[in-house]
Amino acid sequence: DIQMTQSPSSLSASVGDRVTITCQASQDIRRYLNWYQQKSGKAPKLLIFDASSLEPGVPSRFSGSGSGTHFTFTISSLQPEDFATYYCQQYDAFPVTFGPGTKVDV
Amino acid sequence: DVQLVESGGGLVKPGGSLRVSCVASGFTFSSYSMTWVRQSPGKGLEWVASISGTSSSIYYADSAKGRFTISRDNAKNSMFLQMSSLRAEDTAIYFCARLANVVVISGPFDYWGQGSLVTVSA
């Protein structure tokens, strides 16, 4: 199985900060990497697919980059509604696997 | 609007069985692969199973193989997860989600339901 790691596991930030989360795959997953946001008690929401494509309707302050085994997710200017947990997910091979999540709080 | 609504969760004893359902609306259900993802209390996301639009392709996580069965009824815009031999570690919110890619069974999960809580406890 492809193992996904994320760093940091949590971070504290302020409104307006630039936030960067990294995700590493245990083997080459090309660009088959997605990013999700999950707020407490809610279902996850797709933000970025295929490493760098912005899901329609998602604000442009969210971005993603990377390929192969190393990926980055960035929020350019953190907004109050962005405090949440963020997960990366690979779908290059079954089983689909998620990273452990990064909690972004104040 | 795309909507996915799960139901069927509840309390079940270890070793018992339960079926959770997902009813879809707002899109041509039969054209899309669907998936189940679960989340144990306070934990991360775990993919459980996926099924293609025609049910011709099905994949399971190792934790689900032999105990869970994913299925769908396109005439009723519904997907199901039949769970048996349930264990305490199966306690989780079970989310259904739609795969964004129409042709293949892999891809991003672009729409999610609100989840259905399954609790396995004596």
Side-chain angles (χ1 to χ4, degrees):
Chain A
D1 297 2
I2 298 173
Q3 308 301 319
M4 306 300 294
T5 57
Q6 284 182 237
S7 61
S9 56
S10 65
L11 66 90
S12 295
S14 301
V15 173
D17 284 355
R18 183 180 182 87
V19 169
T20 298
I21 299 168
T22 62
C23 176
Q24 186 131 1
S26 61
Q27 64 189 68
D28 186 353
I29 59 169
R30 297 175 282 182
R31 293 177 61 83
Y32 297 128
L33 189 285
N34 308 314
W35 291 96
Y36 298 86
Q37 175 194 66
Q38 187 179 32
K39 296 181 180 179
S40 182
K42 300 294 187 182
K45 175 185 176 183
L46 178 65
L47 300 180
I48 302 287
F49 64 95
D50 294 347
S52 61
S53 296
L54 195 66
E55 178 71 356
V58 172
S60 59
R61 64 180 180 274
F62 296 100
S63 65
S65 65
S67 66
T69 62
H70 189 80
F71 300 85
T72 301
F73 172 81
T74 300
I75 308 172
S76 60
S77 177
L78 196 67
Q79 298 301 300
E81 61 268 30
D82 300 338
F83 292 98
T85 299
Y86 294 86
Y87 295 93
C88 62
Q89 174 217 23
Q90 70 79 23
Y91 70 96
D92 183 66
F94 284 104
V96 169
T97 46
F98 290 88
T102 296
K103 185 175 182 180
V104 176
D105 58 21
V106 179
Chain B
D1 287 3
V2 172
Q3 273 202 311
L4 299 171
V5 179
E6 300 93 337
S7 62
L11 177 63
V12 60
K13 288 182 168 53
S17 298
L18 196 68
R19 187 177 86 156
V20 289
S21 303
C22 172
V23 177
S25 61
F27 64 101
T28 305
F29 182 69
S30 60
S31 295
Y32 288 83
S33 296
M34 298 291 293
T35 194
W36 288 100
V37 174
R38 69 183 182 182
Q39 186 170 38
S40 299
K43 301 297 184 183
L45 301 169
E46 180 189 11
W47 171 76
V48 175
S50 294
I51 185 169
S52 65
T54 60
S55 304
S56 58
S57 293
I58 289 175
Y59 292 87
Y60 293 100
D62 284 348
S63 59
K65 279 179 190 171
R67 299 188 303 126
F68 293 3
T69 300
I70 188 173
S71 62
R72 63 191 295 162
D73 182 343
N74 288 340
K76 296 183 178 179
N77 287 353
S78 297
M79 178 178 66
F80 310 99
L81 187 68
Q82 177 69 48
M83 300 179 286
S84 60
S85 302
L86 284 162
R87 310 163 180 159
E89 53 264 37
D90 296 317
T91 294
I93 297 172
Y94 285 75
F95 295 101
C96 69
R98 188 185 84 166
L99 272 78
N101 294 335
V102 174
V103 177
V104 297
I105 196 174
S106 64
F109 304 160
D110 61 350
Y111 287 94
W112 297 63
Q114 84 288 350
S116 184
L117 177 61
V118 172
T119 302
V120 184
S121 175

